[in-house]
Amino acid sequence: MGKQKKTRKYATMKRMLSLRDERLKEKDRLKPKKKEKKDPSALKEREVPQHPSCLFFQYNTQLGPPYYILVDTNFINFSIKAKLDLVQSMMDCLYAKCIPCITDCVMAEIEKLGQKYRVALRIAKDPRFERLPCSHKGTYADDCLVQRVTQHKCYIVATVDRDLKRRIRKIPGVPIMYISNHRYNIERMPDDYGAPRL
C-alpha cells in the first residue's frame, strides 16, 4: 500500500491564550468589565421625535399651490415610456402650478445609467426643473428623498418604486404621485388642498 495523502489545512492559526487566561501574569491579564448598576429611582430619559408643527393631525398645512414635487429616477424613465410630458401631466393631475424638483442624488443616478437613458438626462436638465443640492455622503437617492421629506413636509414625492412608496407612506402628511393608466395619479391627497383659502 502506498503512502496516504495528507490534506493541507489552509488558514490554520496557532491557538492563542485568551487575555483573561489565569496562566498570564496579573499585569498582562484583561480586567473584567464592571456593570454599572442603574438606579431604579432615577428618571428614565427617552428621545421622542418632535411632532411637526405643519401638521394638523394628518392634514399638512404647508402643501398648497404652487406644488413642489420631488422626482425620482424611475419616475422620469416611466414617464418617457408612457410618453408623458412631466410638467404638463403634473398640472393636469393637480390642476395647479407644479415645480418639479431634482436632487443631486437623482441627477447622479441618471448620469450613472449611461447612454441608454440620455433622454431622461436631457429632461432632468430642463430649466423648468428646480435643482436641490445634497449635503450628505453617497448618491443613494431613496434615502436622500426620505430624509428630505421627513425634514421638510412641503413636497409631494413622485415615484414608481414600491419600496420607496412603502417608506414614504410611514411619514404622515406626504402625498405620493405615481403613474397608472398612462396618466399621473396622486395618493393621500385631501380634497380641499386645491381650494382657495378664505
Side-chain angles (χ1 to χ4, degrees):
M1 282 182 73
K3 210 175 187 184
Q4 202 171 17
K5 281 189 179 178
K6 238 185 183 181
T7 55
R8 274 185 70 188
K9 290 178 183 174
Y10 291 97
T12 50
M13 288 178 67
K14 290 182 179 176
R15 290 222 176 141
M16 292 176 71
L17 283 175
S18 167
L19 291 173
R20 289 198 179 92
D21 202 301
E22 291 171 9
R23 290 174 282 183
L24 288 172
K25 291 178 184 171
E26 193 69 43
K27 62 177 183 179
D28 297 332
R29 229 181 277 161
L30 189 74
K31 289 170 180 72
K33 290 179 183 175
K34 291 178 182 176
K35 288 184 179 177
E36 291 179 19
K37 290 184 178 179
K38 290 179 182 176
D39 186 21
S41 62
L43 290 170
K44 290 178 184 175
E45 286 182 22
R46 284 193 317 167
E47 210 173 291
V48 179
Q50 189 182 356
H51 187 72
S53 60
C54 65
L55 290 181
F56 180 72
F57 296 108
Q58 290 286 314
Y59 181 83
N60 190 347
T61 55
Q62 281 187 348
L63 273 178
Y67 294 107
Y68 288 86
I69 299 166
L70 280 177
V71 183
D72 192 23
T73 315
N74 54 25
F75 190 80
I76 297 173
N77 295 334
F78 277 86
S79 297
I80 294 165
K81 266 186 190 171
K83 296 180 180 173
L84 293 167
D85 176 29
L86 256 92
V87 180
Q88 190 59 46
S89 300
M90 283 174 182
M91 287 168 78
D92 291 344
C93 176
L94 292 168
Y95 301 116
K97 188 183 178 189
C98 299
I99 301 164
C101 304
I102 284 202
T103 60
D104 289 346
C105 296
V106 173
M107 206 66 167
E109 264 189 11
I110 297 169
E111 284 168 359
K112 276 183 195 171
L113 291 171
Q115 194 67 14
K116 196 177 174 185
Y117 294 92
R118 63 185 179 276
V119 180
L121 186 62
R122 195 180 300 160
I123 288 169
K125 286 182 177 174
D126 192 318
R128 294 177 293 177
F129 283 48
E130 195 176 295
R131 281 292 294 274
L132 301 172
C134 295
S135 56
H136 58 82
K137 287 182 180 178
T139 57
Y140 186 54
D142 288 14
D143 287 346
C144 173
L145 294 176
V146 169
Q147 183 187 345
R148 195 175 285 271
V149 160
T150 310
Q151 286 172 351
H152 315 287
K153 291 191 167 33
C154 58
Y155 296 110
I156 296 169
V157 180
T159 185
V160 191
D161 189 359
R162 274 195 194 141
D163 294 330
L164 182 58
K165 274 191 202 173
R166 203 173 290 134
R167 284 172 72 181
I168 288 166
R169 278 188 199 115
K170 290 175 186 172
I171 306 164
V174 180
I176 301 166
M177 188 178 273
Y178 61 97
I179 302 169
S180 70
N181 299 331
H182 292 279
R183 61 194 224 101
Y184 293 167
N185 286 320
I186 200 114
E187 187 182 297
R188 289 200 320 184
M189 187 82 155
D191 298 328
D192 56 347
Y193 269 124
R197 299 212 174 92
L198 301 170

